[in-house]
PDB file of all heavy atoms in Angstrom:
ATOM      1  N   HIS A  76     -54.501 103.136  34.282  1.00  0.00           N
ATOM      2  CA  HIS A  76     -55.496 102.303  34.967  1.00  0.00           C
ATOM      3  C   HIS A  76     -56.898 102.897  34.886  1.00  0.00           C
ATOM      4  O   HIS A  76     -57.880 102.189  35.058  1.00  0.00           O
ATOM      5  CB  HIS A  76     -55.087 102.106  36.427  1.00  0.00           C
ATOM      6  CG  HIS A  76     -53.780 101.394  36.565  1.00  0.00           C
ATOM      7  ND1 HIS A  76     -53.685 100.021  36.633  1.00  0.00           N
ATOM      8  CD2 HIS A  76     -52.505 101.860  36.613  1.00  0.00           C
ATOM      9  CE1 HIS A  76     -52.411  99.675  36.732  1.00  0.00           C
ATOM     10  NE2 HIS A  76     -51.679 100.760  36.720  1.00  0.00           N
ATOM     11  N   LEU A  77     -56.970 104.197  34.648  1.00  0.00           N
ATOM     12  CA  LEU A  77     -58.266 104.865  34.591  1.00  0.00           C
ATOM     13  C   LEU A  77     -58.720 105.159  33.164  1.00  0.00           C
ATOM     14  O   LEU A  77     -59.826 105.644  32.964  1.00  0.00           O
ATOM     15  CB  LEU A  77     -58.226 106.173  35.388  1.00  0.00           C
ATOM     16  CG  LEU A  77     -57.943 106.051  36.879  1.00  0.00           C
ATOM     17  CD1 LEU A  77     -57.929 107.425  37.526  1.00  0.00           C
ATOM     18  CD2 LEU A  77     -58.959 105.139  37.554  1.00  0.00           C
ATOM     19  N   GLY A  78     -57.847 104.910  32.190  1.00  0.00           N
ATOM     20  CA  GLY A  78     -58.213 105.175  30.807  1.00  0.00           C
ATOM     21  C   GLY A  78     -58.258 106.652  30.475  1.00  0.00           C
ATOM     22  O   GLY A  78     -59.067 107.087  29.654  1.00  0.00           O
ATOM     23  N   THR A  79     -57.392 107.430  31.125  1.00  0.00           N
ATOM     24  CA  THR A  79     -57.321 108.862  30.838  1.00  0.00           C
ATOM     25  C   THR A  79     -55.964 109.173  30.217  1.00  0.00           C
ATOM     26  O   THR A  79     -55.099 108.317  30.124  1.00  0.00           O
ATOM     27  CB  THR A  79     -57.454 109.699  32.136  1.00  0.00           C
ATOM     28  OG1 THR A  79     -56.325 109.441  32.976  1.00  0.00           O
ATOM     29  CG2 THR A  79     -58.737 109.381  32.887  1.00  0.00           C
ATOM     30  N   GLN A  80     -55.791 110.419  29.822  1.00  0.00           N
ATOM     31  CA  GLN A  80     -54.468 110.924  29.478  1.00  0.00           C
ATOM     32  C   GLN A  80     -53.726 111.137  30.799  1.00  0.00           C
ATOM     33  O   GLN A  80     -54.314 111.013  31.871  1.00  0.00           O
ATOM     34  CB  GLN A  80     -54.599 112.255  28.729  1.00  0.00           C
ATOM     35  CG  GLN A  80     -55.389 112.166  27.442  1.00  0.00           C
ATOM     36  CD  GLN A  80     -54.645 111.393  26.369  1.00  0.00           C
ATOM     37  OE1 GLN A  80     -53.481 111.634  26.123  1.00  0.00           O
ATOM     38  NE2 GLN A  80     -55.327 110.450  25.746  1.00  0.00           N
ATOM     39  N   ARG A  81     -52.452 111.518  30.707  1.00  0.00           N
ATOM     40  CA  ARG A  81     -51.700 111.811  31.933  1.00  0.00           C
ATOM     41  C   ARG A  81     -52.459 112.828  32.775  1.00  0.00           C
ATOM     42  O   ARG A  81     -52.965 113.815  32.252  1.00  0.00           O
ATOM     43  CB  ARG A  81     -50.327 112.384  31.607  1.00  0.00           C
ATOM     44  CG  ARG A  81     -49.348 111.347  31.182  1.00  0.00           C
ATOM     45  CD  ARG A  81     -47.993 112.034  30.996  1.00  0.00           C
ATOM     46  NE  ARG A  81     -46.990 111.061  30.679  1.00  0.00           N
ATOM     47  CZ  ARG A  81     -46.255 110.427  31.590  1.00  0.00           C
ATOM     48  NH1 ARG A  81     -46.414 110.668  32.862  1.00  0.00           N
ATOM     49  NH2 ARG A  81     -45.358 109.558  31.218  1.00  0.00           N
ATOM     50  N   LEU A  82     -52.477 112.591  34.066  1.00  0.00           N
ATOM     51  CA  LEU A  82     -53.218 113.451  34.986  1.00  0.00           C
ATOM     52  C   LEU A  82     -52.296 114.474  35.642  1.00  0.00           C
ATOM     53  O   LEU A  82     -51.133 114.185  35.927  1.00  0.00           O
ATOM     54  CB  LEU A  82     -53.889 112.604  36.061  1.00  0.00           C
ATOM     55  CG  LEU A  82     -54.995 111.674  35.544  1.00  0.00           C
ATOM     56  CD1 LEU A  82     -55.304 110.582  36.545  1.00  0.00           C
ATOM     57  CD2 LEU A  82     -56.247 112.484  35.228  1.00  0.00           C
ATOM     58  N   SER A  83     -52.851 115.641  35.889  1.00  0.00           N
ATOM     59  CA  SER A  83     -52.155 116.670  36.655  1.00  0.00           C
ATOM     60  C   SER A  83     -53.191 117.340  37.560  1.00  0.00           C
ATOM     61  O   SER A  83     -54.399 117.132  37.398  1.00  0.00           O
ATOM     62  CB  SER A  83     -51.502 117.694  35.728  1.00  0.00           C
ATOM     63  OG  SER A  83     -52.477 118.319  34.927  1.00  0.00           O
ATOM     64  N   PHE A  84     -52.707 118.147  38.499  1.00  0.00           N
ATOM     65  CA  PHE A  84     -53.635 118.804  39.409  1.00  0.00           C
ATOM     66  C   PHE A  84     -54.480 119.822  38.657  1.00  0.00           C
ATOM     67  O   PHE A  84     -53.978 120.582  37.837  1.00  0.00           O
ATOM     68  CB  PHE A  84     -52.881 119.464  40.564  1.00  0.00           C
ATOM     69  CG  PHE A  84     -52.345 118.456  41.527  1.00  0.00           C
ATOM     70  CD1 PHE A  84     -51.041 118.001  41.423  1.00  0.00           C
ATOM     71  CD2 PHE A  84     -53.162 117.904  42.511  1.00  0.00           C
ATOM     72  CE1 PHE A  84     -50.544 117.037  42.292  1.00  0.00           C
ATOM     73  CE2 PHE A  84     -52.686 116.939  43.376  1.00  0.00           C
ATOM     74  CZ  PHE A  84     -51.373 116.504  43.275  1.00  0.00           C
ATOM     75  N   GLY A  85     -55.778 119.808  38.954  1.00  0.00           N
ATOM     76  CA  GLY A  85     -56.700 120.754  38.335  1.00  0.00           C
ATOM     77  C   GLY A  85     -56.528 122.143  38.923  1.00  0.00           C
ATOM     78  O   GLY A  85     -56.131 122.305  40.075  1.00  0.00           O
ATOM     79  N   LYS A  86     -56.841 123.143  38.140  1.00  0.00           N
ATOM     80  CA  LYS A  86     -56.717 124.539  38.563  1.00  0.00           C
ATOM     81  C   LYS A  86     -57.830 124.903  39.556  1.00  0.00           C
ATOM     82  O   LYS A  86     -58.913 124.330  39.547  1.00  0.00           O
ATOM     83  CB  LYS A  86     -56.815 125.464  37.349  1.00  0.00           C
ATOM     84  CG  LYS A  86     -55.757 125.190  36.293  1.00  0.00           C
ATOM     85  CD  LYS A  86     -54.553 126.046  36.529  1.00  0.00           C
ATOM     86  CE  LYS A  86     -53.571 125.977  35.400  1.00  0.00           C
ATOM     87  NZ  LYS A  86     -52.419 125.160  35.636  1.00  0.00           N
ATOM     88  N   GLU A  87     -57.522 125.909  40.373  1.00  0.00           N
ATOM     89  CA  GLU A  87     -58.449 126.332  41.417  1.00  0.00           C
ATOM     90  C   GLU A  87     -59.806 126.756  40.863  1.00  0.00           C
ATOM     91  O   GLU A  87     -60.847 126.438  41.438  1.00  0.00           O
ATOM     92  CB  GLU A  87     -57.841 127.476  42.231  1.00  0.00           C
ATOM     93  CG  GLU A  87     -58.727 127.927  43.365  1.00  0.00           C
ATOM     94  CD  GLU A  87     -58.101 128.985  44.253  1.00  0.00           C
ATOM     95  OE1 GLU A  87     -56.888 129.272  44.118  1.00  0.00           O
ATOM     96  OE2 GLU A  87     -58.838 129.525  45.090  1.00  0.00           O
ATOM     97  N   ASP A  88     -59.821 127.465  39.720  1.00  0.00           N
ATOM     98  CA  ASP A  88     -61.102 127.920  39.177  1.00  0.00           C
ATOM     99  C   ASP A  88     -61.957 126.741  38.713  1.00  0.00           C
ATOM    100  O   ASP A  88     -63.180 126.740  38.888  1.00  0.00           O
ATOM    101  CB  ASP A  88     -60.924 128.960  38.071  1.00  0.00           C
ATOM    102  CG  ASP A  88     -60.075 128.487  36.904  1.00  0.00           C
ATOM    103  OD1 ASP A  88     -59.353 127.481  37.039  1.00  0.00           O
ATOM    104  OD2 ASP A  88     -60.118 129.141  35.839  1.00  0.00           O
ATOM    105  N   LEU A  89     -61.340 125.716  38.137  1.00  0.00           N
ATOM    106  CA  LEU A  89     -62.082 124.522  37.725  1.00  0.00           C
ATOM    107  C   LEU A  89     -62.595 123.758  38.944  1.00  0.00           C
ATOM    108  O   LEU A  89     -63.731 123.266  38.944  1.00  0.00           O
ATOM    109  CB  LEU A  89     -61.199 123.622  36.857  1.00  0.00           C
ATOM    110  CG  LEU A  89     -61.863 122.356  36.329  1.00  0.00           C
ATOM    111  CD1 LEU A  89     -63.038 122.696  35.394  1.00  0.00           C
ATOM    112  CD2 LEU A  89     -60.836 121.480  35.604  1.00  0.00           C
ATOM    113  N   LEU A  90     -61.782 123.689  39.976  1.00  0.00           N
ATOM    114  CA  LEU A  90     -62.194 123.047  41.229  1.00  0.00           C
ATOM    115  C   LEU A  90     -63.440 123.723  41.782  1.00  0.00           C
ATOM    116  O   LEU A  90     -64.426 123.063  42.117  1.00  0.00           O
ATOM    117  CB  LEU A  90     -61.041 123.108  42.244  1.00  0.00           C
ATOM    118  CG  LEU A  90     -61.346 122.696  43.675  1.00  0.00           C
ATOM    119  CD1 LEU A  90     -61.757 121.229  43.756  1.00  0.00           C
ATOM    120  CD2 LEU A  90     -60.128 122.967  44.563  1.00  0.00           C
ATOM    121  N   PHE A  91     -63.415 125.047  41.850  1.00  0.00           N
ATOM    122  CA  PHE A  91     -64.561 125.765  42.401  1.00  0.00           C
ATOM    123  C   PHE A  91     -65.781 125.652  41.491  1.00  0.00           C
ATOM    124  O   PHE A  91     -66.902 125.471  41.958  1.00  0.00           O
ATOM    125  CB  PHE A  91     -64.216 127.235  42.668  1.00  0.00           C
ATOM    126  CG  PHE A  91     -65.276 127.935  43.459  1.00  0.00           C
ATOM    127  CD1 PHE A  91     -65.433 127.674  44.814  1.00  0.00           C
ATOM    128  CD2 PHE A  91     -66.133 128.836  42.847  1.00  0.00           C
ATOM    129  CE1 PHE A  91     -66.435 128.303  45.548  1.00  0.00           C
ATOM    130  CE2 PHE A  91     -67.141 129.460  43.575  1.00  0.00           C
ATOM    131  CZ  PHE A  91     -67.286 129.195  44.929  1.00  0.00           C
ATOM    132  N   GLU A  92     -65.552 125.731  40.183  1.00  0.00           N
ATOM    133  CA  GLU A  92     -66.654 125.629  39.215  1.00  0.00           C
ATOM    134  C   GLU A  92     -67.367 124.281  39.313  1.00  0.00           C
ATOM    135  O   GLU A  92     -68.591 124.218  39.290  1.00  0.00           O
ATOM    136  CB  GLU A  92     -66.081 125.810  37.814  1.00  0.00           C
ATOM    137  CG  GLU A  92     -67.065 125.638  36.683  1.00  0.00           C
ATOM    138  CD  GLU A  92     -66.364 125.627  35.335  1.00  0.00           C
ATOM    139  OE1 GLU A  92     -65.379 126.374  35.156  1.00  0.00           O
ATOM    140  OE2 GLU A  92     -66.795 124.855  34.462  1.00  0.00           O
ATOM    141  N   THR A  93     -66.595 123.191  39.421  1.00  0.00           N
ATOM    142  CA  THR A  93     -67.204 121.853  39.400  1.00  0.00           C
ATOM    143  C   THR A  93     -67.628 121.353  40.771  1.00  0.00           C
ATOM    144  O   THR A  93     -68.675 120.722  40.897  1.00  0.00           O
ATOM    145  CB  THR A  93     -66.253 120.817  38.773  1.00  0.00           C
ATOM    146  OG1 THR A  93     -65.015 120.833  39.475  1.00  0.00           O
ATOM    147  CG2 THR A  93     -66.051 121.085  37.302  1.00  0.00           C
ATOM    148  N   LEU A  94     -66.826 121.631  41.802  1.00  0.00           N
ATOM    149  CA  LEU A  94     -67.097 121.045  43.124  1.00  0.00           C
ATOM    150  C   LEU A  94     -67.444 122.075  44.197  1.00  0.00           C
ATOM    151  O   LEU A  94     -67.823 121.688  45.311  1.00  0.00           O
ATOM    152  CB  LEU A  94     -65.896 120.204  43.579  1.00  0.00           C
ATOM    153  CG  LEU A  94     -65.630 118.951  42.743  1.00  0.00           C
ATOM    154  CD1 LEU A  94     -64.386 118.227  43.246  1.00  0.00           C
ATOM    155  CD2 LEU A  94     -66.836 118.021  42.736  1.00  0.00           C
ATOM    156  N   GLY A  95     -67.297 123.361  43.895  1.00  0.00           N
ATOM    157  CA  GLY A  95     -67.706 124.387  44.844  1.00  0.00           C
ATOM    158  C   GLY A  95     -66.842 124.491  46.084  1.00  0.00           C
ATOM    159  O   GLY A  95     -67.308 124.988  47.111  1.00  0.00           O
ATOM    160  N   VAL A  96     -65.590 124.012  46.010  1.00  0.00           N
ATOM    161  CA  VAL A  96     -64.675 124.113  47.142  1.00  0.00           C
ATOM    162  C   VAL A  96     -63.361 124.731  46.671  1.00  0.00           C
ATOM    163  O   VAL A  96     -63.085 124.794  45.479  1.00  0.00           O
ATOM    164  CB  VAL A  96     -64.412 122.747  47.827  1.00  0.00           C
ATOM    165  CG1 VAL A  96     -65.693 122.204  48.465  1.00  0.00           C
ATOM    166  CG2 VAL A  96     -63.830 121.731  46.850  1.00  0.00           C
ATOM    167  N   ARG A  97     -62.561 125.140  47.629  1.00  0.00           N
ATOM    168  CA  ARG A  97     -61.260 125.743  47.354  1.00  0.00           C
ATOM    169  C   ARG A  97     -60.149 124.769  47.748  1.00  0.00           C
ATOM    170  O   ARG A  97     -60.381 123.840  48.519  1.00  0.00           O
ATOM    171  CB  ARG A  97     -61.100 127.044  48.159  1.00  0.00           C
ATOM    172  CG  ARG A  97     -62.136 128.096  47.838  1.00  0.00           C
ATOM    173  CD  ARG A  97     -61.862 128.770  46.529  1.00  0.00           C
ATOM    174  NE  ARG A  97     -62.851 129.830  46.249  1.00  0.00           N
ATOM    175  CZ  ARG A  97     -63.058 130.298  45.049  1.00  0.00           C
ATOM    176  NH1 ARG A  97     -62.393 129.852  44.015  1.00  0.00           N
ATOM    177  NH2 ARG A  97     -63.954 131.241  44.855  1.00  0.00           N
ATOM    178  N   PRO A  98     -58.922 124.984  47.268  1.00  0.00           N
ATOM    179  CA  PRO A  98     -57.810 124.132  47.691  1.00  0.00           C
ATOM    180  C   PRO A  98     -57.725 124.090  49.222  1.00  0.00           C
ATOM    181  O   PRO A  98     -57.952 125.092  49.891  1.00  0.00           O
ATOM    182  CB  PRO A  98     -56.588 124.829  47.094  1.00  0.00           C
ATOM    183  CG  PRO A  98     -57.124 125.526  45.885  1.00  0.00           C
ATOM    184  CD  PRO A  98     -58.498 126.007  46.301  1.00  0.00           C
ATOM    185  N   GLY A  99     -57.424 122.918  49.745  1.00  0.00           N
ATOM    186  CA  GLY A  99     -57.400 122.719  51.193  1.00  0.00           C
ATOM    187  C   GLY A  99     -58.711 122.178  51.724  1.00  0.00           C
ATOM    188  O   GLY A  99     -58.771 121.658  52.829  1.00  0.00           O
ATOM    189  N   SER A 100     -59.769 122.325  50.937  1.00  0.00           N
ATOM    190  CA  SER A 100     -61.086 121.836  51.346  1.00  0.00           C
ATOM    191  C   SER A 100     -61.630 120.768  50.397  1.00  0.00           C
ATOM    192  O   SER A 100     -62.813 120.456  50.426  1.00  0.00           O
ATOM    193  CB  SER A 100     -62.088 122.998  51.428  1.00  0.00           C
ATOM    194  OG  SER A 100     -61.713 123.908  52.433  1.00  0.00           O
ATOM    195  N   VAL A 101     -60.781 120.220  49.535  1.00  0.00           N
ATOM    196  CA  VAL A 101     -61.222 119.185  48.592  1.00  0.00           C
ATOM    197  C   VAL A 101     -61.680 117.968  49.394  1.00  0.00           C
ATOM    198  O   VAL A 101     -61.024 117.544  50.344  1.00  0.00           O
ATOM    199  CB  VAL A 101     -60.102 118.810  47.603  1.00  0.00           C
ATOM    200  CG1 VAL A 101     -60.567 117.731  46.645  1.00  0.00           C
ATOM    201  CG2 VAL A 101     -59.646 120.050  46.834  1.00  0.00           C
ATOM    202  N   THR A 102     -62.820 117.424  49.015  1.00  0.00           N
ATOM    203  CA  THR A 102     -63.461 116.365  49.774  1.00  0.00           C
ATOM    204  C   THR A 102     -64.412 115.582  48.875  1.00  0.00           C
ATOM    205  O   THR A 102     -64.980 116.141  47.930  1.00  0.00           O
ATOM    206  CB  THR A 102     -64.255 116.969  50.963  1.00  0.00           C
ATOM    207  OG1 THR A 102     -65.030 115.959  51.598  1.00  0.00           O
ATOM    208  CG2 THR A 102     -65.182 118.086  50.525  1.00  0.00           C
ATOM    209  N   ALA A 103     -64.588 114.314  49.180  1.00  0.00           N
ATOM    210  CA  ALA A 103     -65.574 113.510  48.444  1.00  0.00           C
ATOM    211  C   ALA A 103     -66.964 114.127  48.564  1.00  0.00           C
ATOM    212  O   ALA A 103     -67.779 114.032  47.645  1.00  0.00           O
ATOM    213  CB  ALA A 103     -65.582 112.074  48.970  1.00  0.00           C
ATOM    214  N   PHE A 104     -67.233 114.768  49.686  1.00  0.00           N
ATOM    215  CA  PHE A 104     -68.556 115.357  49.905  1.00  0.00           C
ATOM    216  C   PHE A 104     -68.868 116.477  48.916  1.00  0.00           C
ATOM    217  O   PHE A 104     -70.022 116.844  48.743  1.00  0.00           O
ATOM    218  CB  PHE A 104     -68.691 115.864  51.334  1.00  0.00           C
ATOM    219  CG  PHE A 104     -68.580 114.794  52.397  1.00  0.00           C
ATOM    220  CD1 PHE A 104     -68.170 115.125  53.675  1.00  0.00           C
ATOM    221  CD2 PHE A 104     -68.888 113.464  52.135  1.00  0.00           C
ATOM    222  CE1 PHE A 104     -68.078 114.161  54.675  1.00  0.00           C
ATOM    223  CE2 PHE A 104     -68.790 112.490  53.114  1.00  0.00           C
ATOM    224  CZ  PHE A 104     -68.391 112.843  54.395  1.00  0.00           C
ATOM    225  N   ALA A 105     -67.849 117.022  48.260  1.00  0.00           N
ATOM    226  CA  ALA A 105     -68.075 118.085  47.285  1.00  0.00           C
ATOM    227  C   ALA A 105     -68.799 117.581  46.039  1.00  0.00           C
ATOM    228  O   ALA A 105     -69.284 118.386  45.240  1.00  0.00           O
ATOM    229  CB  ALA A 105     -66.752 118.745  46.905  1.00  0.00           C
ATOM    230  N   LEU A 106     -68.912 116.269  45.876  1.00  0.00           N
ATOM    231  CA  LEU A 106     -69.688 115.735  44.741  1.00  0.00           C
ATOM    232  C   LEU A 106     -71.125 116.239  44.763  1.00  0.00           C
ATOM    233  O   LEU A 106     -71.783 116.275  43.723  1.00  0.00           O
ATOM    234  CB  LEU A 106     -69.685 114.206  44.748  1.00  0.00           C
ATOM    235  CG  LEU A 106     -68.385 113.531  44.342  1.00  0.00           C
ATOM    236  CD1 LEU A 106     -68.524 112.021  44.475  1.00  0.00           C
ATOM    237  CD2 LEU A 106     -67.973 113.901  42.929  1.00  0.00           C
ATOM    238  N   ILE A 107     -71.598 116.650  45.923  1.00  0.00           N
ATOM    239  CA  ILE A 107     -72.952 117.206  46.029  1.00  0.00           C
ATOM    240  C   ILE A 107     -73.109 118.429  45.122  1.00  0.00           C
ATOM    241  O   ILE A 107     -74.210 118.756  44.694  1.00  0.00           O
ATOM    242  CB  ILE A 107     -73.295 117.544  47.503  1.00  0.00           C
ATOM    243  CG1 ILE A 107     -74.791 117.757  47.682  1.00  0.00           C
ATOM    244  CG2 ILE A 107     -72.482 118.711  48.020  1.00  0.00           C
ATOM    245  CD1 ILE A 107     -75.235 117.875  49.128  1.00  0.00           C
ATOM    246  N   ASN A 108     -71.983 119.095  44.806  1.00  0.00           N
ATOM    247  CA  ASN A 108     -72.020 120.285  43.944  1.00  0.00           C
ATOM    248  C   ASN A 108     -71.808 119.977  42.469  1.00  0.00           C
ATOM    249  O   ASN A 108     -71.953 120.868  41.633  1.00  0.00           O
ATOM    250  CB  ASN A 108     -70.966 121.294  44.410  1.00  0.00           C
ATOM    251  CG  ASN A 108     -71.372 121.984  45.690  1.00  0.00           C
ATOM    252  OD1 ASN A 108     -72.528 122.368  45.850  1.00  0.00           O
ATOM    253  ND2 ASN A 108     -70.434 122.116  46.612  1.00  0.00           N
TER     254      ASN A 108
END
Side-chain angles (χ1 to χ4, degrees):
H76 298 271
L77 298 180
T79 65
Q80 300 290 312
R81 282 185 176 270
L82 294 162
S83 60
F84 288 95
K86 301 268 189 257
E87 182 175 350
D88 57 344
L89 181 63
L90 170 63
F91 190 73
E92 176 189 323
T93 56
L94 294 178
V96 295
R97 300 284 182 199
S100 296
V101 179
T102 172
F104 298 155
L106 287 177
I107 195 171
N108 286 318

